[in-house]
Amino acid sequence: MAKQTRETLLKQIFNDYKNYPYGFSRSGDFSIKESQALSKYGQLICALLDGVIEPSNKEDASLLAVALGQQEPTSVAEKAWVRYQRIIEQPKPASIYGSKPASMDDYSVDSAELEAEYDD
């Protein structure tokens, strides 16, 4: 495996198909600039958090500090990352109808009951 650098990570597009199967820009959660920033800087931020690479400049150090919650976000990429983390960490709302869709078996009616209703 080739050693990853900041430049190679910035060329890779960040996607989260689990939480955003149609992409960040189509989700409605992010502005155009934020979705572009997430796509561009997401791989870099993940690599910084995982310790794959070390911060090589002030921008990288700032991205890492914001991602770890040690500093307030100032750039578009930092604000987008904080919003992204907040959204994916929220518990998903449960359905008021239960965990599975209702089937016709749930509404069983005895044929004798139906005949009695229509005979009247």
Side-chain angles (χ1 to χ4, degrees):
M1 182 176 184
K3 184 171 173 23
Q4 293 188 340
T5 64
R6 182 180 200 278
E7 291 74 28
T8 59
L9 290 168
L10 288 175
K11 290 179 185 175
Q12 297 175 3
I13 295 175
F14 177 67
N15 292 310
D16 181 0
Y17 291 116
K18 178 183 175 199
N19 296 302
Y20 292 96
Y22 301 109
F24 300 118
S25 61
R26 302 189 101 199
S27 68
D29 291 339
F30 305 100
S31 69
I32 294 170
K33 286 184 179 182
E34 288 173 334
S35 64
Q36 290 171 345
L38 272 177
S39 295
K40 181 177 180 180
Y41 289 98
Q43 291 287 2
L44 176 65
I45 295 171
C46 287
L48 288 168
L49 285 171
D50 293 341
V52 174
I53 64 168
E54 294 293 322
S56 60
N57 56 26
K58 288 182 182 180
E59 183 183 16
D60 291 354
S62 179
L63 285 170
L64 182 59
V66 168
L68 293 173
Q70 300 169 347
Q71 173 180 318
E72 290 296 316
T74 55
S75 71
V76 175
E78 293 169 352
K79 290 176 184 178
W81 185 262
V82 169
R83 176 181 278 177
Y84 167 71
Q85 288 296 308
R86 188 181 72 238
I87 290 171
I88 66 169
E89 289 174 1
Q90 287 179 352
K92 304 289 186 240
S95 172
I96 61 171
Y97 301 110
S99 61
K100 64 177 182 155
S103 68
M104 290 307 293
D105 295 336
D106 295 339
Y107 302 103
S108 62
V109 177
D110 188 19
S111 61
E113 291 176 17
L114 287 175
E115 289 176 10
E117 282 183 34
Y118 289 110
D119 288 337
D120 293 333

